[in-house]
Amino acid sequence: MSKLTHFNEQGRAKMVDVSHKAETVRVAIAKSSIIVNEEIHAQIAEGTNKKGDVFAVAQIAAVMAAKNTANIIPMCHPLPLTGIDVQFDWAIDHDNNHFEIIIHAEVKTKGLTGVEMEALTAASAAALTIYDMCKAVGKEMVIGPTMLMKKTGGKNGDFERQL
């Protein structure tokens, strides 16, 4: 069983010391989704949402969230991010009236610790922003699941989710 690294000798939470780690290029890709109704889908696709361009605002929110992850996740290290990319795709099943927005957030750094939390935070913030911008049209939207899809770099090696 591995030792929990985020606790000190008194059993209290601590930020892990990463000063001994090697600086490497680290990349993480997270995925989230949000299911919307047909009216919300139409508004986003046609650019008619009264609050503005839903994907543009969600993308900015995702970037801001990734950059501020250490401010909202207590034990995360503040990292100098070198790249953030957020993409949106639709998964539509017209027969079942199912409209799902798939969110992919890719975050990069060259540093001492990984960017998994930054990617997950970005994907989550994008989904939450879409909800916020569309809630006046329908509150039955469903967010998730949110998951790490891939990460590279660091002593623990690479990870890629097998679906």
Side-chain angles (χ1 to χ4, degrees):
M1 188 158 135
S2 64
K3 180 183 171 191
L4 295 175
T5 59
H6 283 71
F7 293 97
N8 66 17
E9 296 79 28
Q10 295 180 332
R12 297 190 180 275
K14 71 172 185 175
M15 181 185 278
V16 174
D17 180 3
V18 295
S19 59
H20 63 282
K21 289 186 172 185
E23 185 175 81
T24 62
V25 173
R26 296 158 186 268
V27 179
I29 300 171
K31 173 184 173 186
S32 191
S33 65
I34 182 167
I35 298 170
V36 301
N37 66 29
E38 188 172 9
E39 184 179 1
I40 292 169
H41 167 258
Q43 283 188 2
I44 293 171
E46 297 164 9
T48 58
N49 183 283
K50 292 183 188 218
K51 291 187 178 181
D53 184 333
V54 174
F55 286 164
V57 176
Q59 187 161 15
I60 292 167
V63 169
M64 290 175 63
K67 290 171 33 175
N68 285 287
T69 299
N71 293 325
I72 58 174
I73 308 294
M75 300 304 160
C76 281
H77 295 83
L79 300 175
L81 303 181
T82 59
I84 304 168
D85 185 24
V86 181
Q87 297 187 14
F88 303 95
D89 294 302
W90 285 101
I92 300 173
D93 179 353
H94 287 287
D95 294 335
N96 294 305
N97 205 33
H98 182 88
F99 304 89
E100 184 175 12
I101 301 166
I102 309 297
I103 303 158
H104 284 94
E106 180 178 27
V107 180
K108 296 179 182 179
T109 192
K110 184 175 183 183
L112 304 176
T113 191
V115 287
E116 295 96 312
M117 293 307 299
E118 287 74 10
L120 288 162
T121 302
S124 299
L128 289 166
T129 300
I130 292 167
Y131 187 99
D132 180 53
M133 293 192 68
C134 300
K135 68 184 181 231
V137 180
K139 292 177 178 46
E140 71 283 348
M141 293 173 277
V142 176
I143 294 174
T146 303
M147 65 193 86
L148 180 67
M149 299 303 293
K150 182 177 182 179
K151 80 106 179 154
T152 61
K155 74 172 185 168
N156 291 328
D158 297 348
F159 164 82
E160 188 160 1
R161 182 171 300 280
Q162 303 300 312
L163 296 178

